[in-house]
Amino acid sequence: MNTPKVFSYQRFSHARQATGASLARQADLAAQWAAKHKLELDTSLTMRDEGLSAYKGTHVKKGALGVFLKAVEDGRVPQGSVLVVEHLDRLSRAEVDIALAQLLNIIHGGIRIVTAVDEREYSIASVRKNPTDLIISITLMMKAHSESSDKAGRVTDAIVRACEGWILGKRTGKKVGPGTDPSWVRHNAKAGCFELDADAARAVRRVIELWREGYGAMKALEIATAEGGRVPKGLSNESRVNQLLAKETLIGTRTITVRGKAYALEGYYPPLIDHATYDEIQHLRTQRGRRQAKGDIVGIVTGFGVTVCGHCGAAMTAQNMRPSVGASGTIYKAQRRLLCSGSKRLPKCPHTSCNIVPIEAAILRFCSNQMDLSSLFASGDSDEPVAQALAAAHKRLAATERQLAKIAKALEADEDDNAPQTFLQATRKLEKQMREQQEQVERLKRELSVRQHATPASADTWAKLAAAALALDPAARMKVRKLIGETFAKVTVFMRGYEHGDNGEVIRLHLLSKKGISRELAIDRKTGDLLEVRDVDLAEVSRLLRALKDKADAEAQAKATKPATRARKTTAKKAA
């Protein structure tokens, strides 16, 4: 048979108590009890939960007590063993039903619980013989929970006052509430403020910079680390980087939610980036396909929703038709194609693919000319549509909020508290709608901010990158990819042209800048040379495209009728 053992469980709630005598006192009490009853205390299995709350149940979820309870449940603790604690509140300060269930689970496992201060024992035999012990335990549990609840209420009140004071400008220099601070700051207690950790801040900024350039989160981490940056340990994977990019702590704002209300404490931390950069990051996070695609060759016009087919409007994709790297390590340019995704749908787009190299070359040549590049930003106001969309989104949000307010007022007027189910369903639907509208307003705000702060790169920047990008240098192509995303709202490709003289030798591109200005490029299909640059007459383009479509439809109809005509001739010949 297993010999019963005596275990000591010790716990305190806050890390500050580690410097006091709490643990030593609890350990001494357990040792004294064991000596008094001539039992040996198993010091090799002394359980300690330091800084874990019994009010929130953290010591059970993450601590040693949880491990012990699981061992009791699995029968790995010998029957008749003793668990010594200072008070019952060391085991739990939760609601009385939770605390009582925990105590009963332990004693039903054949374990005796002893409180060293008053030497009370709780076991199956004792509570059955003297049920008053159980009533006393319930009273003690209620008292422990009440004390913790009152304390939590006072702490919460203090946090609310500190948050409200911060917003009003009353800043004491002390930390506001619990929580983990960003890895790139340190709190200076003497100065009463947070300061940047220069090395960590530099490394995190580098990760963000690489991500903005188009690298994936993991690749950005790898590059920043390889460069010798002191990337914080917590920033160790793609998920952590994506979480970081969403946090307002980047601009120095800490948000604390207390009793369901969020308090945004601006200027709580020193900012790591400015507001314009943060808005750009949030805008980029919503853009599908903005990250670098997998493969040997970095796409500079595909993969981030900018390039579309002019003939059917479908998205364009890039593909290496053969293995892109040969046995000698050479990357075959000629096999790189631009494909229309509409060619794989019904009705099919008749224009399947074309060589992507001349298209890339033409865009780079155009943007390397300062006069051509400046023409895309010389006039126009692309901010206006976004501003109008934002105003409309605000209007819809206000209407939803008014509807919710009316329902809330009607529910308040219902003295019998018999709200119809339809009211509750309508409220839930409107609340979901309001959340979606709030998210849309935030997205539009960020997009407007990004557009207003956008500064186009110079033609020199494009020219310096052009040769390396066309030579398939990955770093140069990443930078060009970013420039194209920042410069153009849309790139429309007409793979077979649309004018009478194109004859399949000309590819036409429509470049729409972020400022709403369009330019049409006619380029040589083989060389990528610019044959013509002109303003876009959308009405004329639509007319030409309709003519092309009518011609294609007529040819398809004629082709479909030929077999029938041939069949009629054969029948007539046989009859003759």
Side-chain angles (χ1 to χ4, degrees):
M1 293 180 63
N2 290 329
T3 304
K5 297 181 179 180
V6 178
F7 303 103
S8 171
Y9 175 69
Q10 302 153 24
R11 183 194 62 79
F12 55 76
S13 300
H14 201 284
R16 287 194 299 265
Q17 293 173 272
T19 58
S22 180
L23 284 180
R25 185 185 67 251
Q26 294 180 58
D28 288 345
L29 285 170
Q32 290 169 19
W33 185 90
K36 182 178 179 179
H37 293 81
K38 298 180 180 179
L39 295 171
E40 183 179 351
L41 180 66
D42 189 337
T43 55
S44 65
L45 293 175
T46 296
M47 294 167 287
R48 291 180 177 175
D49 282 330
E50 303 179 20
L52 297 183
S53 171
Y55 177 63
K56 297 178 181 178
T58 315
H59 65 321
V60 175
K61 298 172 188 173
K62 300 180 179 180
L65 184 62
V67 176
F68 179 76
L69 295 177
K70 178 64 176 168
V72 171
E73 183 181 331
D74 295 343
R76 290 186 282 115
V77 179
Q79 294 277 325
S81 293
V82 180
L83 178 64
V84 181
V85 294
E86 182 182 26
H87 295 283
L88 276 183
D89 61 10
R90 295 295 175 187
L91 287 178
S92 181
R93 283 179 171 267
E95 294 279 2
V96 66
D97 56 323
I98 298 173
L100 181 60
Q102 179 180 292
L103 182 141
L104 291 175
N105 282 340
I106 295 173
I107 64 176
H108 280 142
I111 312 301
R112 296 154 56 198
I113 297 176
V114 171
T115 51
V117 169
D118 55 10
E119 295 198 5
R120 284 190 177 276
E121 180 181 314
Y122 301 91
S123 65
I124 291 294
S126 68
V127 298
R128 287 177 179 173
K129 182 179 179 181
N130 189 3
T132 307
D133 287 349
L134 202 56
I135 296 172
I136 291 172
S137 73
I138 292 173
T139 304
L140 293 173
M141 292 171 186
M142 290 174 63
K143 181 182 177 183
H145 176 72
S146 179
E147 289 174 351
S148 291
S149 181
D150 291 344
K151 183 180 177 181
R154 291 194 297 272
V155 170
T156 302
D157 289 341
I159 294 173
V160 170
R161 287 194 300 272
C163 289
E164 292 174 345
W166 184 280
I167 293 170
L168 294 173
K170 300 174 183 176
R171 303 175 183 182
T172 62
K174 297 180 180 179
K175 289 188 178 184
V176 178
T180 305
D181 299 315
S183 55
W184 58 86
V185 299
R186 298 288 180 269
H187 187 256
N188 187 330
K190 291 183 179 179
C193 65
F194 283 92
E195 298 172 346
L196 284 177
D197 179 327
D199 291 339
R202 191 181 303 112
V204 175
R205 284 195 186 108
R206 181 59 177 151
V207 171
I208 293 171
E209 178 188 3
L210 290 165
W211 183 89
R212 288 174 64 210
E213 288 179 3
Y215 288 98
M218 254 336 275
K219 189 65 177 178
L221 274 178
E222 290 171 5
I223 294 174
T225 303
E227 291 174 349
R230 203 192 83 196
V231 179
K233 291 181 180 179
L235 202 61
S236 57
N237 55 51
E238 182 177 358
S239 177
R240 292 292 179 87
V241 174
N242 290 331
Q243 290 172 14
L244 165 74
L245 294 169
K247 290 182 177 179
E248 287 188 318
T249 51
L250 292 172
I251 51 175
T253 299
R254 182 187 179 194
T255 300
I256 300 177
T257 302
V258 188
R259 292 177 180 147
K261 182 177 179 180
Y263 296 88
L265 311 183
E266 296 181 2
Y268 189 84
Y269 302 114
L272 192 68
I273 58 177
D274 58 40
H275 281 72
T277 303
Y278 180 77
D279 287 339
E280 179 196 352
I281 289 170
Q282 302 319 303
H283 178 63
L284 292 177
R285 287 178 61 243
T286 65
Q287 302 303 297
R288 183 176 175 269
R290 279 289 298 178
R291 303 275 59 81
Q292 177 186 355
K294 295 180 179 178
D296 297 317
I297 302 173
V298 177
I300 64 174
V301 295
T302 58
F304 51 102
V306 169
T307 306
V308 298
C309 174
H311 301 286
C312 71
M316 306 291 278
T317 60
Q319 185 180 49
N320 298 322
M321 300 301 287
R322 294 179 186 173
S324 57
V325 182
S328 63
T330 303
I331 298 179
Y332 295 101
K333 301 179 188 178
Q335 302 306 321
R336 296 174 50 233
R337 308 287 293 176
L338 185 67
L339 281 70
C340 171
S341 61
S343 64
K344 298 179 181 180
R345 301 174 185 169
L346 292 177
K348 290 185 177 181
C349 177
H351 304 283
T352 308
S353 69
C354 67
N355 193 344
I356 197 174
V357 177
I359 292 173
E360 293 178 348
I363 292 175
L364 286 167
R365 288 192 183 104
F366 176 82
C367 293
S368 295
N369 183 301
Q370 188 62 56
M371 186 175 294
D372 288 337
L373 184 62
S374 298
S375 68
L376 292 172
F377 297 89
S379 60
D381 187 6
S382 65
D383 298 344
E384 187 60 28
V386 181
Q388 289 176 353
L390 178 58
H394 272 301
K395 188 175 180 180
R396 289 192 295 271
L397 177 58
T400 303
E401 288 173 341
R402 284 195 298 272
Q403 286 180 281
L404 274 171
K406 287 180 181 178
I407 293 177
K409 190 174 181 180
L411 292 173
E412 288 176 5
D414 183 10
E415 296 179 356
D416 297 331
D417 197 22
N418 295 318
Q421 187 66 26
T422 52
F423 266 41
L424 299 177
Q425 291 173 349
T427 300
R428 283 194 290 270
K429 184 178 178 180
L430 285 171
E431 285 176 342
K432 180 182 177 183
Q433 181 176 301
M434 184 176 70
R435 287 193 298 272
E436 292 172 350
Q437 289 170 343
Q438 287 171 337
E439 290 173 2
Q440 184 183 28
V441 166
E442 289 303 313
R443 283 198 302 270
L444 289 169
K445 279 182 180 178
R446 290 179 185 127
E447 183 177 352
L448 186 60
S449 174
V450 169
R451 288 173 180 269
Q452 290 172 341
H453 290 88
T455 304
S458 67
D460 286 343
T461 303
W462 286 89
K464 289 175 182 176
L465 294 169
L470 291 174
L472 306 182
D473 177 72
R477 291 181 70 84
M478 284 300 301
K479 291 175 182 176
V480 169
R481 177 186 174 93
K482 181 174 183 287
L483 290 178
I484 287 178
E486 292 174 347
T487 304
F488 300 110
K490 184 183 286 188
V491 175
T492 306
V493 181
F494 297 88
M495 288 188 280
R496 296 294 181 271
Y498 49 74
E499 290 198 349
H500 178 69
D502 289 345
N503 297 322
E505 299 300 321
V506 176
I507 297 173
R508 293 188 179 270
L509 304 181
H510 287 179
L511 306 179
L512 176 65
S513 76
K514 291 285 189 178
K515 284 295 182 182
I517 301 173
S518 293
R519 287 289 182 273
E520 180 183 286
L521 311 186
I523 63 177
D524 186 287
R525 175 180 298 281
K526 294 181 180 178
T527 65
D529 292 337
L530 289 176
L531 304 177
E532 184 182 18
V533 178
R534 67 184 184 185
D535 292 342
V536 178
D537 185 342
L538 294 177
E540 177 64 12
V541 171
S542 297
R543 186 188 68 76
L544 291 168
L545 288 173
R546 279 198 302 273
L548 279 176
K549 186 177 185 303
D550 292 343
K551 182 181 177 182
D553 290 344
E555 290 175 350
Q557 182 66 28
K559 188 177 181 180
T561 58
K562 279 183 180 178
T565 303
R566 193 179 297 114
R568 283 197 297 271
K569 286 182 179 179
T570 303
T571 303
K573 187 175 180 180
K574 286 181 178 179

